[in-house]
Amino acid sequence: MVRSGPLLTLGSVVALAAILLTVDLRISAAASKASPVATASPASATSAPASTAPGGQGAAAPPRALFAGRTSGDEFTVAIAINGGKAAADLNAGLPSQASLAGSVTGGQVTLTGGNGVRLTGSVSSAAVFGLITSFGRTFPFSAEPAVVQAVYAGRSSGNEVTVAVDTEGDKAVAYVCNGKNVEAWLQGSVRGNQVTLTGNKGAGLTGSLSGLDLFGTVTPRTGQTFPFAAELSPHPAGVYQARIEVNGLATRIGWAVLPDGTQVGVAVEGTAELAAPPLDLSDGGFTIDGGSFTAALVAGAATVVSP
C-alpha cells in the first residue's frame, strides 16, 4: 500500500472488523478520515452511472488491499477490504445508519451484498475502486482509493520472556521488544501481504504472519535469544513509546511496549547501562526519572527507530 490515500485507524468500525475476520483478512477496524455525513433524502439521491476505473474491466484487483472513500454526494463513507477472491465493506452514513457487506471479487469486478437489499458493485484496480451502492431503491456512485492501514499488535513471547509491541503503517512497521530489565531491541522493516519482517542491531529481528486479528511469529531481541510470540490487534493505549533525553549528563533512550490493558514494560538505556524504565503516564505520556519530568511519544509504524 502507498500512502496516497486516507489513513485508517483501529477502533472506528467494529462491524467491519468482524466481517473481515471471517474472510481471514489482516485489518485494522477502520473508517475514513472524514466524518460520516447524514444520509441524503430520496429526493436528493442521485442515480447517475458510476465511473469506470482506469483500464475498465480488464484491470485485475490486487490480491490484498484496503480502500476508503465516499459516494459522490457525500451520502456514505466507504471502507472496502479485499483478500483474494473475497471482499467485505462497511458503509457509514452516521450512526445508526451503518451497513456491513460481504461478497466476492472476480477479475476486476467486486460484488458485495448486505442486509435490507444493500448492494455494492464496482470496478477495482490497484489504484482505485469505482462503482455504485444501491440502498433502499436508490443508487449512489462512489469512488475509493488505497488506504494506509495503521494498526498496533501487542503481546508476549510464549514463555513470557519478553513483551512485544508492533506498529504497522501501510507497508512499513516498527517494534519494541524488551523484558523490562536488561534486554531490549528496536526493530523496523516491512509488511508484505500478511508477512512482517523486521530487523535491528546486534542480530535482533522479528518475523511474523498476520492472521485475522493476530500476529504470530518469532522474535530475537539479541543474538542467541529467539522466542515464539503472539500479539493481538490492540486499541489505544497499546503501542510503542519512546523518549530520548539526557540524564546525569548521559544520552538516554527509553522504550516502552504497552499492552491493551495498559500494562507497560520498558527499558532505559543511560549511556551503556540498562535498567527498568520508569512508569509512564498513559494519559499524557509523562514520566519522571532522577527528579526530572519528561514526555514520551508514540512511535508510528513508518518511523525510523534503528540507527545504522
Side-chain angles (χ1 to χ4, degrees):
M1 299 179 190
V2 295
R3 189 160 185 167
S4 59
L7 178 66
L8 303 186
T9 55
L10 175 67
S12 299
V13 183
V14 175
L16 181 59
I19 291 178
L20 297 182
L21 179 57
T22 66
V23 296
D24 190 30
L25 279 170
R26 173 184 66 85
I27 57 98
S28 161
S32 173
K33 258 185 173 180
S35 300
V37 293
T39 307
S41 64
S44 63
T46 62
S47 57
S51 302
T52 57
Q57 295 186 7
R64 284 177 180 263
L66 185 62
F67 298 87
R70 289 178 173 274
T71 52
S72 59
D74 275 352
E75 297 88 1
F76 298 96
T77 57
V78 184
I80 304 170
I82 294 173
N83 181 32
K86 298 179 181 180
D90 184 86
L91 310 180
N92 192 338
L95 290 172
S97 301
Q98 293 181 321
S100 297
L101 293 75
S104 63
V105 179
T106 303
Q109 299 297 304
V110 58
T111 303
L112 309 176
T113 57
N116 298 316
V118 179
R119 181 179 175 87
L120 180 151
T121 57
S123 298
V124 57
S125 69
S126 60
V129 181
F130 296 89
L132 289 173
I133 294 168
T134 302
S135 177
F136 295 102
R138 292 293 188 179
T139 56
F140 305 87
F142 78 90
S143 63
E145 59 183 2
V148 175
V149 180
Q150 184 176 36
V152 170
Y153 299 84
R156 299 180 186 275
S157 58
S158 59
N160 205 30
E161 297 91 352
V162 292
T163 300
V164 181
V166 181
D167 190 303
T168 67
E169 186 172 346
D171 59 0
K172 300 181 184 300
V174 301
Y176 183 65
V177 183
C178 74
N179 68 354
K181 300 174 184 177
N182 55 6
V183 174
E184 65 143 22
W186 290 94
L187 309 170
Q188 67 186 51
S190 64
V191 181
R192 297 284 184 268
N194 70 335
Q195 298 298 304
V196 179
T197 305
L198 310 178
T199 58
N201 294 326
K202 299 179 181 179
L206 178 150
T207 58
S209 298
L210 293 154
S211 176
L213 304 182
D214 298 303
L215 172 62
F216 300 97
T218 58
V219 61
T220 302
R222 59 176 59 165
T223 301
Q225 295 182 337
T226 298
F227 311 108
F229 78 92
E232 61 180 344
L233 187 65
S234 303
H236 187 77
V240 178
Y241 292 76
Q242 176 183 225
R244 289 179 177 268
I245 59 177
E246 185 174 298
V247 177
N248 297 323
L250 296 174
T252 300
R253 185 182 193 183
I254 310 175
W256 293 264
V258 178
L259 302 179
D261 64 0
T263 298
Q264 50 186 268
V265 183
V267 171
V269 180
E270 292 186 19
T272 58
E274 295 173 322
L275 59 154
L280 184 63
D281 184 340
L282 295 175
S283 66
D284 60 8
F287 66 95
T288 301
I289 185 170
D290 285 352
S293 296
F294 305 92
T295 302
L298 268 170
V299 180
T304 299
V305 297
V306 179
S307 301

